[in-house]
Amino acid sequence: MGRVDRIAEPWGTRTAYGPGEEWPVRVDAHLAEGLTESDVDSWTQSASILHSNGDALDIAVKDGRIVGVRGRAEDRVNHGRLGPKDLYGWQANHSPDRLTRPLIRRDGELVECDWETAMAAVAGRTTELLEERGPSSIAFYTSGQLFLEEYYTLGLIAHGGIGTSHVDGNTRLCTATAAAALKESFASDGQPGSYTDIDHADVICLYGHNMAETQTVLWTRILDRLAGPNPPKIVCVDPRRTPVADHATVHLAPRPGTNVMLMNALLHELLEHDWVDHGYVEAHAVGFAELEKMTRGCTVERAAKVCDVPAEELREAARLIGSSQRLVSTVLQGFYQSHQSTAAAVQVNNVHIVRGMLGRPGCGILQMNGQPTAQNTREAGADGDLPAFRNWSNDAHIEDLARVWNIDPMDIPHYTSPTHAMQIMRYVEDGSVRLLYVTATNPAVSMPELARMRSILSQERLFLVVQDIFLSETAQLADVVLPAATWGEKTGTFTNVDRTVHLSEKAVEPPGEARPDLDILLDYARRLDLRDKDGDPLVKWTTPEEAFEGWKECTRGRPCDYTGLSYDKLRGGSGIQWPCNDEHPDGTEHIYVDGRFWSDPSYCESYGKDLVTGAPVSPTEYKALNPEAKAVIKAAEYLPPHEVPTADHPFHLISGRTLYHFHTRTKTGRAPQLQAAAREVWVEASAGDAARAGWAEGDLLRISTERGEVHARLRISGIRDGVLFLPFHYGYWDTPVGDGPDRHTRAANELTRTDWDAASKQPIFKTAAAAATRVSASDGTPAPAPTTTASRPVGAAVPPTRGDDTALSEETLHDQEGAR
Ligand SMILES: Nc1nc2c(c(=O)[nH]1)N[C@H]1C(S)=C(S)[C@@H](COP(=O)(O)OP(=O)(O)OC[C@H]3O[C@@H](n4cnc5c(=O)[nH]c(N)nc54)[C@H](O)[C@@H]3O)O[C@H]1N2
Ligand SMILES: Nc1nc2c(c(=O)[nH]1)N[C@H]1C(S)=C(S)[C@@H](COP(=O)(O)OP(=O)(O)OC[C@H]3O[C@@H](n4cnc5c(=O)[nH]c(N)nc54)[C@H](O)[C@@H]3O)O[C@H]1N2
Ligand SMILES: [Mo]
């Protein structure tokens, strides 16, 4: 057992292992200062909520308060490990500024009220609008951070009860492209990969994915493989020198927005050298000829010019992929938040299909999720999809869902495709949506083009409901604010990117009058008096466990089959991977074994889309293309980004994350150790660009685009020339600058564009053209950027990022037998 400062050492101590071996157990724990495990009254089972990895943990409780967390040794996902956000982030639950009572706007001000007043206002306005303007005047914008039971209930209320098709999640900003890419290649959502693939892989490719900072425990698994015998080779595709790049065998740092060209060149090389499993392709895929044709001219020399990456490095990356026996690929925002995002992510699927690298140990694709419960938003239909991967364009699926819900099929709106989040905001802007109900997301900081967002959300004619745990930037604009209970204060399940389902149980009471999101939604449904076709209540449950049982029935026979799971089965041991049913009672590690897919025309979730226009493929076209339930190889031509640098705006602007913060920091900004590690916004530029402009570490820069400006201190980092990076975590709730206009010069999204990928509708946060000028020189103080991460300084001597005494965490290494 040891004590480690996990701010200074985010990935903790190495526990090396070799290919095919079991990943050793290391149990990480952090308790409030001065406490030891013997002081803890009880431990409650849960999993982490500040990223998508699904690390299982137990919540420590003393005197009715959360006092710490400890990783669960027996869980398949993390084998006991936790990341820094998990170790310290729980402290936000007890923050003194939690919302404890509902708020309602009176004479322009938000004032406290009771639940009856708040809910009567919300349900009353909904009923009025339904009568006056119909269901299309009502929209729901939810999250990737609630629980499965809550999404399923919300989807039922919105689709089956109110009958609006304006339902989406912030998952649109997050991993809409993951779902879209899987639907294109395999005609269904559902991850082919499993985390255990990392134990077997000989080559691991990370495409636009800074796993070291965003899924720290999964990265720890890779670091432990790298420290052991026969380590895997790593291919990293990222314009920044991330910690992933530091460990890469080949680091390709492309010009932002050129991912499709890069992928096409890699595919070109694979085909050129015949690193192709022709037997697999012939038996299990359609579309190979089109790929051959499309990639024919995409030589590494051509890609080298477009992507500005040395041809030799592209060749070397292709050779590694082409000679791999067990290939794992992960894809995330560097690919998803770009124009042509679906096209780029699909090319990664194509690599696996042409190499025959699917459905066996060590061969996995992880089209990553970001948020902890984003998978469930998609599964349960709270992102506009139909529950349990049913197909919008298949009337038999609508009828089947109507049977499960006991309503008329015509009551489920399916005359048009579901409205995506950016379009919902447009409808609010043009006045056709009059009530927007926002749960667990903060669009006033996280959506593109914030000046426009603020004007949309603060419209007089809009009735804005915000259900949150803090008075976020968005809640400050609301007509009614509903105080929610959160993780640790409510019970529910959620599923990570490798299909592992975890149960998260209530450990403590919520503060004040805050209520679980499920209870608030149930109250709303009751007040609207939503009924099924027999006149019984539409929503037939009152507890999370009953909601889960309802959900299980909805998934019967579908790809994400939960029927073999129960709360009891999820208690005590490890999380379990779906599908879990009579046939697979212990869950399923690998799907798509032996080239069997869920892509049969009568069964599949989607017939796919045109990757350039987003136009849906018709059922007839799909049946002609893929009659025998194979995988679909879909080729794409590279198109230039929508906004490219100009003389006035010479830089590529990208944005993203740092290890220590989660999104708009409503939780991590309230955890002292995390906040201290990255207290304020900064901007990253390369040493070459800084030298040319005469800038030094810590200088205050003004970054501007056509949309707005941000002021940030400069960190000279290992980013490629011509590119600026801004972390997007910094809104204004904790800014001391008051109400002046300057409070709007901190958030990266002041600068981003209202623009999205045609197929997935995911907004483009990672390509924009920006200018940068110096406002003032540094007084010698470096930028407030961590030194342990991609923002590591090059050149200047900057004191290393460390925690104080309160950051010391326990690490317990288990011996071979797993005994403590
Ligand atoms: N610490 C932390 N962890 C998190 C989160 C968090 O807020 N903080 N959020 C969670 C969520 S919701 C998500 S979605 C994930 C996101 O996880 P990631 O996708 O790993 O994080 P990002 O920093 O958004 O973007 C990843 C990388 O894309 C690179 N990039 C930018 N433009 C391009 C490009 O054109 N091409 C390529 N190839 N790369 C490019 C950036 O340099 C960046 O390093 O993280 C999850 N985990
Ligand atoms: N420029 C730029 N913008 C981006 C990105 C980027 O890389 N660059 N990334 C995008 C991505 S991938 C994502 S996922 C989004 C994230 O964007 P958001 O979803 O807006 O970010 P969060 O800060 O996680 O907001 C979650 C809100 O829910 C509240 N909350 C937490 N738990 C609960 C709960 O149990 N119940 C309720 N009711 N509320 C709760 C929190 O207090 C917080 O206000 O940002 C996107 N925006
Ligand atoms: Mo995300």
Side-chain angles (χ1 to χ4, degrees):
M1 187 155 123
R3 277 159 77 76
V4 181
D5 170 4
R6 294 292 301 282
I7 296 292
E9 295 178 55
W11 306 283
T13 305
R14 293 285 57 74
T15 54
Y17 72 124
E21 290 171 20
E22 178 85 357
W23 188 28
V25 169
R26 184 192 89 194
V27 174
D28 299 345
H30 181 71
L31 292 177
E33 232 198 323
L35 295 187
T36 65
E37 293 201 2
S38 59
D39 298 316
V40 173
D41 296 339
S42 62
W43 297 89
T44 305
Q45 185 173 347
S46 181
S48 22
I49 197 86
L50 295 172
H51 50 76
S52 59
N53 210 48
D55 302 329
L57 55 79
D58 290 318
I59 303 173
V61 179
K62 181 177 170 55
D63 301 329
R65 283 171 68 88
I66 299 178
V67 292
V69 290
R70 182 178 69 198
R72 290 178 60 82
E74 53 278 76
D75 198 88
R76 60 176 306 281
V77 167
N78 55 326
H79 295 216
R81 287 167 193 74
L82 295 176
K85 290 200 290 358
D86 307 323
L87 291 167
Y88 312 112
W90 53 267
Q91 297 167 95
N93 274 49
H94 293 305
S95 188
D97 59 348
R98 278 286 299 274
L99 292 169
T100 56
R101 296 198 69 200
L103 307 173
I104 192 161
R105 196 167 291 279
R106 295 274 186 247
D107 303 323
E109 297 288 312
L110 281 173
V111 294
E112 286 194 358
C113 68
D114 57 25
W115 273 102
E116 178 55 37
T117 308
M119 291 309 292
V122 176
R125 187 68 190 129
T126 307
T127 310
E128 254 169 45
L129 281 169
L130 280 173
E131 281 160 14
E132 286 166 18
R133 292 171 173 266
S136 294
S137 61
I138 294 163
F140 296 87
Y141 182 46
T142 189
S143 183
Q145 299 171 42
L146 297 179
F147 292 160
L148 168 58
E149 294 76 0
E150 294 163 340
Y151 298 131
Y152 185 50
T153 305
L154 176 64
L156 172 56
I157 292 172
H159 288 132
I162 291 175
T164 177
S165 54
H166 306 327
V167 185
D168 202 357
N170 65 357
T171 46
R172 186 64 60 186
L173 321 182
C174 182
T175 43
T177 303
L182 293 167
K183 288 180 197 171
E184 291 303 328
S185 303
F186 309 112
S188 175
D189 198 341
Q191 293 291 346
S194 177
Y195 288 168
T196 47
D197 290 333
I198 287 177
D199 308 344
H200 302 273
D202 58 8
V203 175
I204 304 175
C205 299
L206 297 98
Y207 296 102
H209 182 195
N210 185 8
M211 187 198 282
E213 299 193 48
T214 57
Q215 280 87 14
T216 51
V217 169
L218 198 58
W219 179 244
T220 303
R221 198 164 186 149
I222 293 183
L223 287 178
D224 285 349
R225 276 291 320 271
L226 291 175
N230 301 314
K233 304 274 195 303
I234 307 289
V235 176
C236 168
V237 183
D238 195 309
R240 291 190 304 152
R241 193 157 173 91
T242 60
V244 175
D246 286 337
H247 287 88
T249 320
V250 182
H251 173 207
L252 306 174
R255 189 177 271 143
T258 62
N259 296 316
V260 169
M261 178 54 85
L262 185 142
M263 290 311 302
N264 278 349
L266 294 180
L267 283 160
H268 173 92
E269 282 291 288
L270 295 183
L271 269 53
E272 184 85 358
H273 292 90
D274 204 26
W275 289 320
V276 173
D277 184 339
H278 289 286
Y280 187 90
V281 172
E282 269 148 44
H284 303 303
V286 298
F288 185 70
E290 198 203 335
L291 184 73
E292 268 186 312
K293 208 165 96 198
M294 188 70 84
T295 57
R296 198 159 290 153
C298 297
T299 58
V300 289
E301 286 75 18
R302 187 170 157 214
K305 285 206 194 83
V306 172
C307 310
D308 192 24
V309 172
E312 250 336 289
E313 292 180 8
L314 286 165
R315 247 184 228 113
E316 176 60 9
R319 197 189 57 76
L320 286 176
I321 296 168
S323 56
S324 62
Q325 303 297 310
R326 293 189 185 76
L327 175 68
V328 169
S329 299
T330 73
V331 191
L332 202 44
Q333 301 308 3
F335 270 41
Y336 295 169
Q337 291 175 337
S338 213
H339 81 300
Q340 288 204 292
S341 63
T342 310
V346 159
Q347 302 319 308
V348 178
N349 294 342
N350 288 346
V351 167
H352 280 256
I353 298 170
V354 302
R355 299 275 300 117
M357 298 274 175
L358 281 167
R360 57 196 166 87
C363 302
I365 307 169
L366 294 165
Q367 296 282 356
M368 291 299 300
N369 296 337
Q371 293 173 89
T373 75
Q375 186 66 42
N376 307 108
T377 316
R378 274 144 59 183
E379 292 167 1
D383 66 340
D385 283 342
L386 284 185
F389 303 161
R390 286 178 177 81
N391 189 340
W392 271 109
S393 311
N394 186 333
D395 284 343
H397 288 200
I398 304 274
E399 273 161 40
D400 186 55
L401 182 65
R403 173 191 60 77
V404 174
W405 285 350
N406 194 35
I407 61 176
D408 190 298
M410 289 315 289
D411 290 341
I412 302 174
H414 62 284
Y415 37 86
T416 158
S417 51
T419 317
H420 62 94
M422 299 295 288
Q423 187 63 31
I424 290 179
M425 292 303 175
R426 175 72 192 126
Y427 288 152
V428 176
E429 189 169 42
D430 74 17
S432 65
V433 164
R434 292 296 174 96
L435 186 150
L436 179 64
Y437 190 152
V438 175
T439 39
T441 180
N442 190 8
V445 182
S446 57
M447 276 210 158
E449 209 182 336
L450 292 184
R452 172 174 177 257
M453 258 359 271
R454 282 188 291 272
S455 96
I456 291 177
L457 295 173
S458 46
Q459 282 184 79
E460 199 54 47
R461 65 187 169 193
L462 173 70
F463 192 83
L464 179 65
V465 182
V466 176
Q467 189 163 305
D468 205 291
I469 65 173
F470 293 108
L471 194 63
S472 66
E473 289 85 346
T474 308
Q476 291 175 30
L477 304 173
D479 294 282
V480 174
V481 179
L482 303 173
T486 189
W487 172 91
E489 301 160 357
K490 62 180 187 180
T491 292
T493 54
F494 50 95
T495 309
N496 75 351
V497 71
D498 90 336
R499 293 173 280 107
T500 303
V501 186
H502 284 116
L503 175 66
S504 178
E505 301 218 64
K506 176 176 170 178
V508 298
E509 290 301 325
E513 296 174 22
R515 296 167 66 188
D517 293 278
L518 180 65
D519 292 5
I520 304 173
L521 291 168
L522 292 172
D523 185 358
Y524 181 56
R526 225 169 11 246
R527 286 169 192 268
L528 296 180
D529 196 27
L530 303 175
R531 302 269 161 186
D532 68 11
K533 68 178 183 207
D534 296 325
D536 293 327
L538 176 68
V539 185
K540 298 186 171 46
W541 44 84
T542 56
T543 66
E545 188 161 8
E546 288 166 14
F548 188 78
E549 291 298 314
W551 165 245
K552 279 165 59 179
E553 276 318 304
C554 186
T555 66
R556 190 177 292 282
R558 295 302 302 161
C560 52
D561 195 329
Y562 280 68
T563 50
L565 292 172
S566 66
Y567 274 24
D568 264 346
K569 197 161 167 176
L570 291 168
R571 280 191 185 110
S574 170
I576 298 172
Q577 287 171 294
W578 67 246
C580 177
N581 49 23
D582 291 345
E583 206 184 325
H584 306 282
D586 300 318
T588 309
E589 186 157 287
H590 285 102
I591 59 173
Y592 304 156
V593 178
D594 300 328
R596 279 178 283 116
F597 299 97
W598 290 317
S599 54
D600 185 88
S602 66
Y603 186 75
C604 69
E605 180 184 12
S606 168
Y607 301 131
K609 287 179 178 168
D610 182 288
L611 295 183
V612 178
T613 64
V617 173
S618 76
T620 324
E621 285 170 305
Y622 181 81
K623 272 176 212 155
L625 168 78
N626 190 21
E628 291 171 66
K630 296 184 177 182
V632 179
I633 299 175
K634 211 160 194 176
E637 189 179 357
Y638 166 73
L639 301 168
H642 302 173
E643 189 174 274
V644 289
T646 60
D648 288 345
H649 294 98
F651 290 98
H652 286 279
L653 174 70
I654 62 176
S655 59
R657 297 162 165 75
T658 188
L659 190 145
Y660 301 100
H661 279 304
F662 185 64
H663 299 170
T664 71
R665 282 180 317 121
T666 64
K667 286 182 174 175
T668 52
R670 289 171 169 95
Q673 300 84 351
L674 298 171
Q675 175 59 11
R679 70 192 142 74
E680 187 44 280
V681 68
W682 68 90
V683 59
E684 293 169 30
S686 75
D689 287 332
R692 275 182 289 278
W695 302 330
E697 169 75 32
D699 284 359
L700 184 67
L701 302 191
R702 179 193 300 115
I703 318 297
S704 57
T705 68
E706 305 267 346
R707 276 76 56 188
E709 62 178 46
V710 165
H711 291 202
R713 300 245 165 228
L714 172 67
R715 165 57 46 85
I716 300 173
S717 76
I719 195 168
R720 60 163 285 147
D721 284 344
V723 183
L724 302 174
F725 173 89
L726 278 173
F728 86 104
H729 304 295
Y730 300 87
Y732 56 81
W733 61 261
D734 63 342
T735 321
V737 291
D739 285 332
D742 52 341
R743 69 183 189 151
H744 298 316
T745 55
R746 235 182 153 205
N749 283 320
E750 301 292 342
L751 306 180
T752 46
R753 268 167 75 93
T754 298
D755 194 4
W756 51 82
D757 173 59
S760 69
K761 319 292 187 207
Q762 180 157 350
I764 299 173
F765 291 114
K766 296 217 189 331
T767 56
T773 51
R774 181 160 64 184
V775 178
S776 57
S778 166
D779 61 1
T781 315
T787 63
T788 40
T789 59
S791 58
R792 194 181 75 237
V794 293
V798 174
T801 300
R802 309 191 169 296
D804 60 13
D805 285 353
T806 68
L808 288 174
S809 299
E810 307 294 338
E811 259 190 0
T812 314
L813 304 183
H814 286 202
D815 62 24
Q816 242 49 14
E817 283 73 51
R820 250 195 208 191

